[in-house]
Amino acid sequence: MKRLILVRHAKSDWPEETEDFDRPLADKGLEDAMNMSRFLKNNNISIDYFVSSPAVRALNTCKIFNQAYQLDCTTNEKLYNPSERNFESVIYDLDDNLSSVALFSHNNGISNFANSISEDIFHFPTCGVAGFEVDCDSWSEFDGAKKKLLFFYEPGKI
């Protein structure tokens, strides 16, 4: 059994003359990411590994979560401006020794991917977190595996 956790980056800012990739987190985003990561940790949501989009706002969200978890964190270009297939490609490459992995990414891709693997239809707010149980022993079996939504948390509702 595996657990996949999807995290949309926290609220970002868009200063003038800043490229989309380089957008920083807004103050509210910093606060939401700290609160959400503490909430997950305090509620014993176990995570073994983080994979983040390399975009500044996603990577900084990941780094804030890592203050609570103290894990290895890698980046993967496929999580920036992702399609559903991008997520699957990242998942298939995960080490099978990892039981629970969090992916930090962006909308619309993260909402579309979550909705493609769940009967629960939802739209990710910034710093929204969804956890899925995936009935497989190897991440390479992800596509055909039964998936079940375990939780969906939104900032301001935790």
Side-chain angles (χ1 to χ4, degrees):
M1 199 66 73
K2 303 288 187 192
R3 182 180 283 187
L4 177 67
I5 297 167
L6 301 176
V7 184
R8 182 178 174 200
H9 67 77
K11 181 86 176 138
S12 59
D13 207 353
W14 204 324
E16 280 186 49
E17 298 181 28
T18 301
E19 295 293 323
D20 179 72
F21 187 90
D22 297 320
R23 290 169 50 200
L25 291 178
D27 289 344
K28 177 166 179 21
L30 294 167
E31 182 182 333
D32 285 348
M34 285 188 280
N35 290 339
M36 186 63 78
S37 60
R38 280 193 220 116
F39 173 81
L40 295 176
K41 185 73 173 172
N42 292 339
N43 283 279
N44 300 313
I45 305 295
S46 93
I47 305 173
D48 300 325
Y49 194 66
F50 291 147
V51 184
S52 176
S53 155
V56 170
R57 60 195 181 277
L59 187 54
N60 284 344
T61 302
C62 180
K63 287 177 179 177
I64 291 169
F65 272 64
N66 207 20
Q67 291 172 6
Y69 280 90
Q70 304 294 307
L71 300 170
D72 286 332
C73 176
T74 60
T75 59
N76 190 312
E77 296 272 339
K78 294 174 186 172
L79 294 177
Y80 179 64
N81 227 355
S83 69
E84 292 165 30
R85 291 207 188 284
N86 289 48
F87 283 96
E88 290 171 353
S89 176
V90 171
I91 290 165
Y92 294 147
D93 287 342
L94 293 171
D95 187 318
D96 286 334
N97 292 323
L98 301 169
S99 295
S100 180
V101 175
L103 304 181
F104 293 78
S105 192
H106 310 262
N107 249 357
N108 291 324
I110 200 164
S111 288
N112 292 341
F113 177 66
N115 290 324
S116 76
I117 63 173
S118 173
E119 294 176 4
D120 303 272
I121 304 296
F122 50 86
H123 177 79
F124 269 78
T126 52
C127 212
V129 179
F132 298 89
E133 183 177 79
V134 185
D135 190 5
C136 64
D137 295 319
S138 169
W139 290 106
S140 65
E141 301 166 343
F142 179 84
D143 189 38
K146 185 177 180 211
K147 298 156 197 83
K148 178 175 124 183
L149 179 67
L150 297 174
F151 56 82
F152 182 61
Y153 301 124
E154 301 179 48
K157 294 186 179 179
I158 54 170

